[in-house]
Amino acid sequence: MIEICGAFLVSIGVLFFLSGTIGLLRLPDIYTRLHALTKADNVGLGFVVLGLAIQATSWSEVIRLVLIWFLVLLASAISCHLVADAALRRNIKPWRKR
């Protein structure tokens, strides 16, 4: 039963990763693409980590998984901010619906 729950949570995470990738390909400008990538991928990674954590055999594995998730969240936020700031400095205007 634990394996089924873990696989289900990992599958949900993969769907979030897929939606982030679709957002990257379909959204009109860099700002909305950053939004899609950071939000969907961080939630997707959270589901993957949760699915793997419930299948872990020890608490040290769970702590390592959570630490990985935290570091990816931190790196994602920082890199997203840097890319958006660089786009603003180059006067790339946010997309507006006409």
Side-chain angles (χ1 to χ4, degrees), residues 45-93:
L45 182 60
F47 275 108
V48 170
V49 165
L50 186 62
L52 294 175
I54 63 171
Q55 296 180 37
T57 56
S58 68
W59 282 104
S60 68
E61 290 178 12
V62 174
I63 291 170
R64 279 185 266 161
L65 287 168
V66 171
L67 182 63
I68 289 169
W69 186 31
F70 176 74
L71 292 174
V72 170
L73 284 175
L74 188 64
S76 173
I78 292 171
S79 62
C80 178
H81 175 77
L82 291 174
V83 170
D85 189 50
L88 281 174
R89 288 175 192 243
R90 291 184 176 203
N91 290 327
I92 297 174
K93 303 287 184 208

Side-chain angles (χ1 to χ4, degrees), residues 10-24 36-37 39-49 72:
V10 170
S11 299
I12 291 173
V14 169
L15 288 176
F16 273 98
F17 279 120
L18 183 63
S19 69
T21 303
I22 290 171
L24 174 68
L37 277 179
K39 300 296 181 194
D41 286 355
N42 287 331
V43 173
L45 182 60
F47 275 108
V48 170
V49 165
V72 170

